[in-house]
Amino acid sequence: MNLKGRDFLTLMDFTKDEILYLLDFAQEIKKDVKSGHFLPILKNKNLALIFSKPSLRTRVSFEIGMRQLGGNSLTLKQDEINLGIRESIADTARVLSGYADCVMIRTFAHKDVEEFVQYATIPTINGLTDDCHPCQIMADLLTIKEHFSKLEGLKLTYVGDGNNVANSLLVGCALVGINVAISSPKGYEPTGRFLNFAKEIAKTSGIKVEILNEPELAVDGANIIYTDVWASMGQESEAQARKEIFKPYQINAQLCSFASKDVIVMHCLPAHREEEITHDVLEKYADVIFRQAENRMHAQKAIMASIIG
């Protein structure tokens, strides 16, 4: 499947077949790495990484992943380039297009990434914005496929803040045939356009897309329970208030008992133990959660290899 030259900004830009192709490709790449074979698919290619938001997993997975593909990467922090401040986003896009073969941006406003793409002549990857986190969901789907050997027909329940991860989970799950339920406090549900996209797919695919404020009802029959921090970067001033609001949405042993017997728990990390997830539940499912983190690298390698070419 030819995806060369495509941007990877949101999963809404891709079809079911394209996502499944990338997941299959990621599995092949991961198998090669585990057997000690590193194919130089991107030899002499260069990736520029822009970080307005810091990250352990995003930086390491992209840098090492690019190296395993035979390419090079250069990391640019916000205080080094001040995206959209020191010079315009348009000019930054034009400059980097003359140096690199691909750009990854991890920032706050999604409109900044969209503006960058308007002026860039090389593929751009969304490493996270306040609206969505497509690379994370590709890693999640890869982990689910590895664990259950399928995607269609499963049920995933996300419990917590209806943030960028929840938005992208709605889209990703709907596209590949996973029933998805989101349980958030009133006023903290996912963004409407992502929910509406998932519901439109559900009309023809037959999957269920549900928004429920009661976590016990939401996890009923779930094969996967998923959570994230209650306060994301940029919401530090709300952290204390959110702890009180989200207390009933903690992933603990009691909540897991309402789910399917084969349930697994996932977390995109970093985790705040004893807040959104208890220590005992995280440790019980640590193998899944940290394989999920590793799969960021393999999923992103499939994306880079496909769009850079």
Side-chain angles (χ1 to χ4, degrees), residues 108 110 129-133 163-165 167-168 191 193-194:
F108 292 88
H110 190 76
T129 64
D130 287 345
D131 283 5
C132 53
H133 199 353
N163 58 15
N164 47 12
V165 172
N167 288 338
S168 292
T191 306
R193 68 187 181 102
F194 297 98

Side-chain angles (χ1 to χ4, degrees), residues 72-302:
N72 309 294
S73 64
L74 174 68
T75 293
L76 301 165
K77 298 179 182 178
Q78 177 67 1
D79 60 355
E80 294 173 318
I81 63 169
N82 285 317
L83 184 66
I85 299 173
R86 185 168 176 267
E87 61 183 312
S88 70
I89 292 174
D91 288 353
T92 302
R94 291 179 175 122
V95 168
L96 289 178
S97 293
Y99 296 145
D101 299 287
C102 182
V103 173
M104 186 288 304
I105 305 178
R106 181 181 171 93
T107 191
F108 292 88
H110 190 76
K111 64 179 178 59
D112 289 349
V113 181
E114 292 177 329
E115 182 179 351
F116 189 96
V117 166
Q118 285 182 345
Y119 295 93
T121 56
I122 56 176
T124 302
I125 298 172
N126 175 7
L128 174 144
T129 64
D130 287 345
D131 283 5
C132 53
H133 199 353
C135 290
Q136 177 63 58
I137 275 57
M138 291 300 292
D140 300 337
L141 295 176
L142 176 59
T143 307
I144 293 167
K145 187 181 178 187
E146 287 178 338
H147 187 86
F148 291 101
S149 299
K150 66 175 185 176
L151 292 169
E152 288 191 344
L154 296 172
K155 177 182 176 180
L156 181 147
T157 299
Y158 174 93
V159 180
D161 185 30
N163 58 15
N164 47 12
V165 172
N167 288 338
S168 292
L169 277 171
L170 276 167
V171 175
C173 288
L175 282 168
V176 301
I178 296 176
N179 300 292
V180 58
I182 306 288
S183 183
S184 305
K186 289 183 179 178
Y188 293 88
E189 296 91 348
T191 306
R193 68 187 181 102
F194 297 98
L195 176 59
N196 292 337
F197 182 92
K199 285 185 173 180
E200 280 300 311
I201 292 175
K203 288 179 181 179
T204 56
S205 69
I207 65 161
K208 285 186 178 180
V209 176
E210 300 175 289
I211 303 294
L212 301 166
N213 298 120
E214 302 83 1
E216 292 83 3
L217 293 178
V219 301
D220 181 38
N223 306 103
I224 307 109
I225 298 176
Y226 195 120
T227 192
D228 190 9
V229 294
W230 291 337
S232 301
M233 276 183 273
Q235 299 174 331
E236 288 80 6
S237 62
E238 304 174 33
Q240 195 56 45
R242 282 172 173 260
K243 284 182 183 179
E244 295 302 315
I245 295 169
F246 282 89
K247 268 185 180 179
Y249 295 83
Q250 182 187 72
I251 306 300
N252 51 42
Q254 181 179 359
L255 184 63
C256 292
S257 69
F258 292 96
S260 174
K261 290 182 179 179
D262 66 351
V263 71
I264 59 171
V265 173
M266 301 181 73
H267 195 307
C268 55
L269 300 177
H272 295 166
R273 299 175 190 233
E274 303 306 325
E275 289 185 17
E276 75 274 2
I277 188 169
T278 58
H279 175 81
D280 62 310
V281 170
L282 190 147
E283 288 301 321
K284 181 177 180 180
Y285 297 99
D287 176 66
V288 173
I289 291 169
F290 290 100
R291 180 152 37 96
Q292 181 185 357
E294 178 193 343
N295 280 340
R296 281 287 301 277
M297 181 172 68
H298 304 300
Q300 289 161 186
K301 284 162 64 179

